[in-house]
Amino acid sequence: MTHAHRKLLALTSAAILTSALLTACSSDALTTTADGLTVVTVGGGGSVFDTPLMVADQNGYFRKQGLKLKFVTLTASIGPAALQSNSVQFFDSSPTGFVTSHAKGLPQIAVGTDGLGNPLGLVVGEEFARAHHLTEKTPAAQVAKALAGSTGGASSANTKAEAAVFLDAQGVDADKKIKWVTLPSPAADKAALKSNQIDWFVTSEPIPLQIQSDGDGVLVADPFKVPAWSAAEAGYGQIVVTRKNYASEHPDIVRKFATAVQQATAYMHEHLEDSNDRTVLKAARKLLKGMPDDVVQRSLRQADWPEDDSMDAAGWKKTLTFLQSLGTLPAGAKVTSGDWTNKYLP
């Protein structure tokens, strides 16, 4: 191949690559179904916080808005990139992921809050529970005292910091009194707990409740026992995120999507405690496959489901204060009024 040919090939390849990147970063042509519904692809972590999406789909709220939901499970690290590439048009994000994305300069915008709170569980191994006489009803101060000198598992900086929030509030220095074992995932935490390599760990539900249901551990702390994890104090939760240019190019779709999700959270707010209504449970089962019904229901009740998905500056301030207390955000991370909006909500 001559030098000229190689140069032409390189230029052609670069042009193709640039075109592909521009296409990925722009709003592609909308896809519609045979019956005229606009397909929207949504990413989520497959947690209890994605339940409103399933309720909105199951109850026909998306269809009434002329939308067809396509849900894909994504990790917190992959979700923002998938949103930027238009692989998904919406992402059900944690505030941590959203704020971190902004710190990296990704032009994304929050268009609604579809869940509130921090449904965490601190679960201890059966052997440790017996040795320290711990049950699910043991007071928080007694639990923290028992954990002093123990070995805790941590599969993320966030859950380690959230455990420290609980321990420090009860007078137990998490840095000095706990031996930490770093593990790659909550599944690894679970295996290490069962084999007594660690005494306890903290992670999001439903894993802690599932461990207790299986007889492999005891749930000794949750948002009801640890106010700092609750929606009232942490201001944490889950938010619906899209790209800023997608929202500006397709405001009607964003409005329809946000409307359907708000209808779902309002339904959950009203019906979750109704023992005769199995709608929410049925929807959550699609996400939490293989989990016992009581585990699913208790996990859902550890979060708050808003009647109104709107956001405000005070709520974001509370959330950022909580996140900064964990010490896991990038330096200079912040959220301004231009990073969230309620204008697409009904």
Side-chain angles (χ1 to χ4, degrees):
M1 181 182 291
T2 67
H3 174 72
H5 285 154
R6 284 195 298 269
K7 184 176 181 181
L8 178 61
L9 179 61
L11 290 172
T12 302
S13 299
I16 292 171
L17 178 60
T18 300
S19 176
L21 288 174
L22 287 173
T23 299
C25 293
S26 66
S27 297
D28 293 347
L30 301 178
T31 302
T32 57
T33 64
D35 52 353
L37 301 178
T38 300
V39 179
V40 287
T41 304
V42 186
S47 74
V48 292
F49 273 133
D50 296 324
T51 303
L53 300 174
M54 301 298 107
V55 172
D57 192 37
Q58 182 174 280
N59 284 9
Y61 301 149
F62 285 127
R63 173 171 281 276
K64 289 177 183 177
Q65 294 295 328
L67 303 178
K68 170 69 175 178
L69 176 71
K70 181 180 178 183
F71 180 82
V72 294
T73 302
L74 299 171
T75 64
S77 59
I78 293 175
L83 193 61
Q84 284 307 116
S85 69
N86 202 43
S87 297
V88 299
Q89 289 76 58
F90 299 92
F91 182 52
D92 204 27
S93 175
S94 71
T96 305
F98 179 66
V99 175
T100 300
S101 293
H102 270 282
K104 295 178 180 178
L106 298 182
Q108 299 175 356
I109 188 166
V111 295
T113 298
D114 59 340
L116 297 169
N118 217 355
L120 296 168
L122 190 158
V123 60
V124 301
E126 279 285 310
E127 187 175 306
F128 188 88
R130 285 194 298 270
H132 294 83
H133 310 291
L134 299 179
T135 70
E136 192 171 356
K137 295 182 180 180
T138 302
Q142 187 178 333
V143 170
K145 183 177 179 181
L147 296 182
S150 65
T151 300
S155 58
S156 76
N158 258 29
T159 52
K160 180 179 179 180
E162 286 158 344
V165 165
F166 162 59
L167 291 167
D168 292 344
Q170 298 297 331
V172 176
D173 190 319
D175 291 327
K176 296 179 180 179
K177 297 295 184 180
I178 303 297
K179 177 184 177 182
W180 293 101
V181 174
T182 301
L183 295 159
S185 67
D189 284 330
K190 181 179 176 181
L193 185 74
K194 192 169 183 178
S195 62
N196 294 317
Q197 294 176 355
I198 59 174
D199 297 316
W200 60 274
F201 72 96
V202 170
T203 196
S204 298
E205 295 295 1
I207 291 176
L209 282 165
Q210 181 193 22
I211 290 172
Q212 179 167 264
S213 179
D214 291 342
D216 295 327
V218 179
L219 180 71
V220 294
D222 59 23
F224 302 113
K225 193 179 287 188
V226 185
W229 294 348
S230 69
E233 290 197 17
Y236 203 72
Q238 200 83 343
I239 50 178
V240 177
V241 178
T242 190
R243 297 193 319 276
K244 288 186 176 180
N245 68 329
Y246 184 87
S248 63
E249 292 171 16
H250 302 293
D252 55 330
I253 294 178
V254 177
R255 186 173 296 106
K256 290 173 180 179
F257 186 86
T259 296
V261 174
Q262 178 167 290
Q263 288 174 334
T265 60
Y267 184 93
M268 293 174 67
H269 180 88
E270 182 178 354
H271 294 276
L272 188 61
E273 299 299 327
D274 184 353
S275 59
N276 295 318
D277 190 313
R278 312 291 282 180
T279 304
V280 178
L281 175 62
K282 182 180 177 182
R285 282 184 187 141
K286 296 178 181 179
L287 296 164
L288 310 178
K289 293 181 174 66
M291 297 288 177
D293 285 356
D294 65 320
V295 168
V296 175
Q297 288 175 321
R298 289 191 63 187
S299 298
L300 288 166
R301 290 181 179 125
Q302 287 193 12
D304 290 344
W305 308 102
E307 291 181 281
D308 180 347
D309 292 1
S310 62
M311 299 163 283
D312 57 39
W316 272 110
K317 182 179 180 180
K318 184 186 293 186
T319 295
L320 284 171
T321 298
F322 174 72
L323 292 177
Q324 288 162 352
S325 74
L326 300 180
T328 57
L329 289 179
K334 62 181 180 179
V335 173
T336 69
S337 59
D339 300 324
W340 58 271
T341 181
N342 295 322
K343 72 178 184 179
Y344 300 105
L345 292 169

